[in-house]
């Protein structure tokens, strides 16, 4: 199957065909996500929480992102691969932002980068797009600002907040982003923004009126132990299944049930007897 392109994603919006995106963090999850047929794969900085166990995404570094994107890339041949810019890799200066975005493409071999923020990030997005970097915006409940928001709270509920969100979306579009994530926003507001912009919007906790949907892999698999947000649909309880396998392995090692004869390698009696004689072991 051919690689998904920016032009195809744009055409999907124009045809009203929903776009699917999943996160992945390593080679096997990248491979499985790619083979599932999803249109886009995001190596999100959510890996700080679901893979590394941090309390937020803030401790994630550029080196961590590059390493995870490289691993995912080895499994992804078809889907459009987006690498997330971690906290403080693009906020301090435009030069640093460009260099770091370049690293995700050059070292990670991502197809595009994603960064959080609206109006205040528009110039940075513009500069990246000018030098040929495909940029995905991310507005609404942007997890890197979780402390400033006072927690993981739905955004855009007041008149001023809704206006600000619309301005953010327009600014990101005008700056040249090819798409944007809208996170933690009332469904009707996200649908309105989707109608107001000409690039694909990908929602997470933003209802069914966006052009596409993204969810975190560990959430839909039931593999994140701490909490499951209201907007997540948990399709399986893989965490429980893994726990049962680990417990059974542990019990079988203790009881001697594992390994069984079918897991062992054989040796000929002639070789073994020769060795036993050599070492003077007559007990066997
Ligand atoms: O980091 C991430 O996984 C994300 C998605 C939740 C959109 O930004």
């Amino acid at each position: 199957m051919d690689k998904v392109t920016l032009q195809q994603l744009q055409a999907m919006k124009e045809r009203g065909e929903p776009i699917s995106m999943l996160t992945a963090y390593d080679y096997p999850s990248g491979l499985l996500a790619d083979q599932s047929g999803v249109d886009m794969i995001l190596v999100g900085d959510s890996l700080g929480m679901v893979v590394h166990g941090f309390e937020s995404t803030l401790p994630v570094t550029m080196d961590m992102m590059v390493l995870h994107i490289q691993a995912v890339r080895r499994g992804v041949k078809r889907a459009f691969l987006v690498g997330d810019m971690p906290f403080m890799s693009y906020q301090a200066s435009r030069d640093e932002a460009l260099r770091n975005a370049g690293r995700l493409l050059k070292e990670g071999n991502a197809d595009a980068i994603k960064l959080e923020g609206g109006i205040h990030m528009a110039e940075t997005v513009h500069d990246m797009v000018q030098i040929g970097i495909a940029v995905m915006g991310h507005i609404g409940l942007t997890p890197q600002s979780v402390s400033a928001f006072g927690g993981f709270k739905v955004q855009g509920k007041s008149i001023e907040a809704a206006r600000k969100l619309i301005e953010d979306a327009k600014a990101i579009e005008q700056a040249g982003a090819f798409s944007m994530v809208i996170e933690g926003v009332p469904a009707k507001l996200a649908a309105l923004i989707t109608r107001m912009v000409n690039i694909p919007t990908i929602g997470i906790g933003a209802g069914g009126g966006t052009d596409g949907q993204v969810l975190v892999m560990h959430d839909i698999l039931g593999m994140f132990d701490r909490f499951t947000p209201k907007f997540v649909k948990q399709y399986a309880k893989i965490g429980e299944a893994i726990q049962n396998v680990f417990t059974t392995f542990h019990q079988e090692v203790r009881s001697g049930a594992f390994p069984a004869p079918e897991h062992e390698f054989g040796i000929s009696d002639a070789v073994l007897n020769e060795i036993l004689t050599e070492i003077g072991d007559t007990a066997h």
Side-chain angles (χ1 to χ4, degrees), residues 8 24 35 37 61 82 107 121-122 146 150 182 192 207 256 263 273 276:
Q8 283 167 3
Q35 289 174 349
T61 65
V82 181
E107 296 174 43
M121 275 300 146
V146 65
I182 303 181
L192 176 64
H263 304 120
N273 288 337
L276 290 174

Side-chain angles (χ1 to χ4, degrees), residues 24-283:
Y25 307 106
D26 54 16
Y27 169 75
S29 58
L31 184 70
L32 293 170
D34 198 49
Q35 289 174 349
S36 75
V38 291
D39 304 299
M40 303 173 81
I41 294 176
L42 169 68
V43 185
D45 64 350
S46 49
L47 63 83
M49 297 174 75
V50 299
V51 176
H52 291 269
F54 294 126
E55 291 298 323
S56 75
T57 58
L58 271 59
V60 176
T61 65
M62 275 299 298
D63 286 345
M64 287 164 74
M65 289 309 303
V66 168
L67 196 66
H68 282 279
I69 295 168
Q70 286 172 337
V72 171
R73 173 85 276 175
R74 290 181 201 114
V76 176
K77 305 280 176 269
R78 181 199 50 78
F80 192 82
L81 181 63
V82 181
D84 221 356
M85 300 281 288
F87 180 58
M88 290 317 293
S89 68
Y90 58 98
Q91 292 94 337
S93 83
R94 212 80 59 73
D95 277 358
E96 203 175 13
L98 295 186
R99 275 202 189 88
N100 283 327
R103 275 193 75 192
L104 297 192
L105 269 55
K106 212 173 154 73
E107 296 174 43
N109 201 8
D111 296 314
I113 67 99
K114 174 172 86 58
L115 54 77
E116 297 183 6
I119 294 172
H120 64 288
M121 275 300 146
E123 289 185 11
T124 304
V125 172
H126 175 266
D127 287 357
M128 289 179 179
V129 174
Q130 288 308 303
I131 59 166
I133 297 176
V135 181
M136 182 173 208
H138 185 161
I139 61 167
L141 200 185
T142 43
Q144 291 174 14
S145 306
V146 65
S147 300
F149 291 149
F152 290 95
K153 292 184 180 154
V154 176
Q155 301 295 302
K157 288 186 100 166
S158 68
I159 295 176
E160 304 78 59
R163 270 196 205 115
K164 163 81 168 55
L165 212 54
I166 291 170
E167 292 312 315
D168 281 341
K170 284 187 187 162
I172 290 300
E173 178 186 30
Q174 276 161 21
F178 73 90
S179 171
M180 73 185 80
V181 169
I182 303 181
E183 177 165 358
V185 168
K188 288 183 179 164
L189 181 58
L192 176 64
I193 293 172
T194 298
R195 290 199 298 277
M196 292 177 78
V197 296
N198 293 310
I199 55 173
T201 60
I202 310 294
I204 173 163
T210 50
D211 296 310
Q213 298 291 325
V214 56
L215 283 175
V216 167
M217 160 198 149
H218 286 62
D219 287 340
I220 69 168
L221 291 179
M223 272 181 68
F224 188 53
D225 57 316
R226 300 208 195 124
F227 59 90
T228 306
K230 168 184 158 71
F231 57 79
V232 166
K233 178 165 178 186
Q234 202 178 79
Y235 289 82
K237 293 196 181 299
I238 301 295
E240 252 178 56
I242 293 174
Q243 185 70 79
N244 288 337
V245 170
F246 289 176
T247 306
T248 306
F249 169 75
H250 166 67
Q251 287 166 347
E252 289 197 356
V253 170
R254 285 285 171 87
S255 70
F258 178 83
E262 67 264 29
H263 304 120
E264 295 179 353
F265 299 108
I267 187 170
S268 76
D269 285 348
V271 172
L272 190 60
N273 288 337
E274 184 72 30
I275 296 296
L276 290 174
T277 309
E278 255 174 52
I279 63 172
D281 185 336
T282 50

